[in-house]
Amino acid sequence: MTLAIFKTCQPAFLPRLIFAHLSRMNNGDAIGVERPMTKSKVFAHTRWDAVPALASLFHLAYFFALFFLYPYTPLWAMLILGFIYSLMVNANINGIGHNFIHNPFFRSPLLNRLFGIMQSVACCFSQTYYDAVHMQHHKGNADRPDENGETVDWISIYKHGHDGEAENPWSYVFLSFFRDDVGAIRKELRKRGRRELIWGNVELAAFATALFVMFLFNWRYIIFYFLPFFYLGHCFSYLNGYFRHYGANPDKPIAWGVSSYGKIYNWLFFFNGYHAEHHFRPKVHWTKLEAFRRQIAELQKQEGVRVIKRAHMLGFLDPDLPKRKTGGSPVTVDMPLACRDESTG
């Protein structure tokens, strides 16, 4: 295996590859991941998962409450409530939905499926489709385009950039919503089995039905009120995602992400701020990320893991924000994808 790598990779990259290989041997493989254990008959990992589960239920209730409040509430109040809904979509996708993908909350597969439907209606997307996109994100880890201009990560901030640079944040934020390739997502789900595609379509049908019924009763609410705030919420999510990787190093597993350690931010987003840690070991449960960071802090410091002072959504305000340039050595046409360190723990 090692000999094959040395034969296929260009000499200029050998020092980095040797270091990456040694890092995996000496650091990555030696780093244990603490898995929470529980005797609960409901929750798979810890009873603390009741908190994000209840938060999702509250989000769903808020989604329906907006519809019923709309005819009786002053416009100024509805605008505030709509903006809050947008923020909730961001927090849900990146906190609740994200953690649910990596560590499903419940022991019962049926409960997990029903929770996925609830998530899909609250955020107006398919949780299962999101799962496929997010797993592709971890396969590429915000990689740069290859010689054909393609990235493994469908939502990489470099995918639509130029000359190895990240894309302009504002085009990424406002256009990414329209770039999802539904065909590619469906193809990925088919690889997992017909059942995954069916459940994804059930989730799509669930939120589409909810919106259609609302449209029949009050089309103005859907067109002029809900859809703009729904779109804004997903833009917030892409804004969050952009600065979780901007300034990171796509060539170092431990530095694939950018972290932000604000307490309030991480409480609201269920520790999504620990993003470098998450990309290094995606299966670490959200309740264990703080301890995991302490475990690898010295290694992170050595490898130059980027940390910002503000929540990721406000990353553009960070005083140490680098200019929009490459975060490390670009992947070139002479370097096969197999030579990149893609360990996800």
Side-chain angles (χ1 to χ4, degrees):
M1 177 85 175
T2 304
L3 181 60
I5 291 176
F6 273 75
K7 286 181 178 179
T8 57
C9 295
Q10 295 296 320
F13 294 102
L14 290 182
R16 188 175 64 81
L17 288 170
I18 293 171
F19 176 78
H21 183 64
L22 291 174
S23 293
R24 287 198 302 274
M25 291 177 58
N26 299 330
N27 297 314
D29 293 340
I31 295 173
V33 175
E34 184 182 358
R35 303 284 288 170
M37 303 291 290
T38 179
K39 295 180 180 179
S40 171
K41 295 181 179 180
V42 177
F43 296 100
H45 305 287
T46 170
R47 289 181 174 88
W48 279 108
D49 280 334
V51 180
L54 289 173
S56 176
L57 184 62
F58 176 77
H59 189 184
L60 182 69
Y62 193 95
F63 166 77
F64 286 112
L66 287 177
F67 175 74
F68 291 109
L69 288 171
Y70 182 77
Y72 312 106
T73 308
L75 178 60
W76 66 267
M78 287 305 301
L79 291 176
I80 294 173
L81 293 174
F83 186 75
I84 291 173
Y85 174 78
S86 298
L87 294 175
M88 289 173 69
V89 168
N90 178 26
N92 192 331
I93 291 174
N94 294 291
I96 302 167
H98 175 244
N99 282 307
F100 182 70
I101 286 173
H102 291 284
N103 294 291
F105 299 156
F106 305 104
R107 291 190 184 277
S108 165
L110 179 59
L111 269 181
N112 283 323
R113 293 296 188 184
L114 293 176
F115 184 81
I117 293 175
M118 183 171 73
Q119 277 284 102
S120 300
V121 174
C123 295
C124 291
F125 74 162
S126 165
Q127 178 71 29
T128 301
Y129 276 57
Y130 171 34
D131 189 317
V133 173
H134 189 69
M135 287 297 100
Q136 197 69 24
H137 172 58
H138 276 282
K139 291 177 184 178
N141 295 287
D143 56 324
R144 294 189 180 88
D146 60 17
E147 64 273 18
N148 299 314
E150 297 295 325
T151 57
V152 175
D153 179 0
W154 294 333
I155 57 174
S156 172
I157 64 174
Y158 298 98
K159 185 176 179 68
H160 297 279
H162 301 285
D163 301 320
E165 290 191 10
E167 180 181 2
N168 182 286
W170 305 115
S171 62
Y172 182 86
V173 167
F174 293 111
L175 296 180
S176 289
F177 178 85
F178 305 103
R179 290 171 173 167
D180 280 341
D181 187 340
V182 177
I185 299 172
R186 291 170 64 87
K187 183 179 179 180
E188 183 62 29
L189 289 177
R190 285 194 190 98
K191 293 179 184 178
R192 301 183 183 184
R194 188 166 173 265
R195 181 177 296 180
E196 287 298 302
L197 183 59
I198 290 174
W199 276 106
N201 291 336
V202 167
E203 292 165 355
L204 290 176
F207 85 76
T209 300
L211 292 182
F212 180 68
V213 171
M214 290 178 177
F215 180 86
L216 292 179
F217 281 94
N218 194 335
W219 65 270
R220 291 181 179 84
Y221 168 81
I222 294 295
I223 300 297
F224 299 114
Y225 178 79
F226 179 77
L227 289 181
F229 283 115
F230 156 74
Y231 169 68
L232 180 62
H234 284 265
C235 288
F236 283 157
S237 179
Y238 284 113
L239 179 61
N240 193 309
Y242 186 93
F243 288 102
R244 287 200 306 257
H245 289 280
Y246 181 73
N249 191 332
D251 302 320
K252 287 186 178 182
I254 199 169
W256 272 333
V258 175
S259 288
S260 176
Y261 300 125
K263 288 189 179 297
I264 295 177
Y265 168 48
N266 280 288
W267 290 341
L268 291 175
F269 280 70
F270 298 99
F271 288 81
N272 186 247
Y274 289 68
H275 209 67
E277 294 80 1
H278 171 69
H279 269 270
F280 189 47
R281 288 295 184 271
K283 294 299 287 184
V284 176
H285 194 272
W286 64 273
T287 58
K288 300 296 182 181
L289 280 168
E290 208 167 11
F292 182 63
R293 181 212 171 188
R294 291 193 293 269
Q295 185 181 349
I296 63 172
E298 190 58 36
L299 182 60
Q300 286 183 314
K301 185 177 180 181
Q302 292 173 12
E303 297 302 314
V305 171
R306 178 165 167 74
V307 177
I308 59 176
K309 299 176 181 178
R310 292 177 169 83
H312 288 110
M313 198 174 82
L314 300 176
F316 57 93
L317 297 176
D318 193 77
D320 300 320
L321 193 68
K323 293 182 178 180
R324 193 156 53 89
K325 295 179 180 178
T326 55
S329 303
V331 179
T332 72
V333 295
D334 297 322
M335 182 181 180
L337 183 62
C339 292
R340 297 186 68 222
D341 188 333
E342 295 183 353
S343 172
T344 55

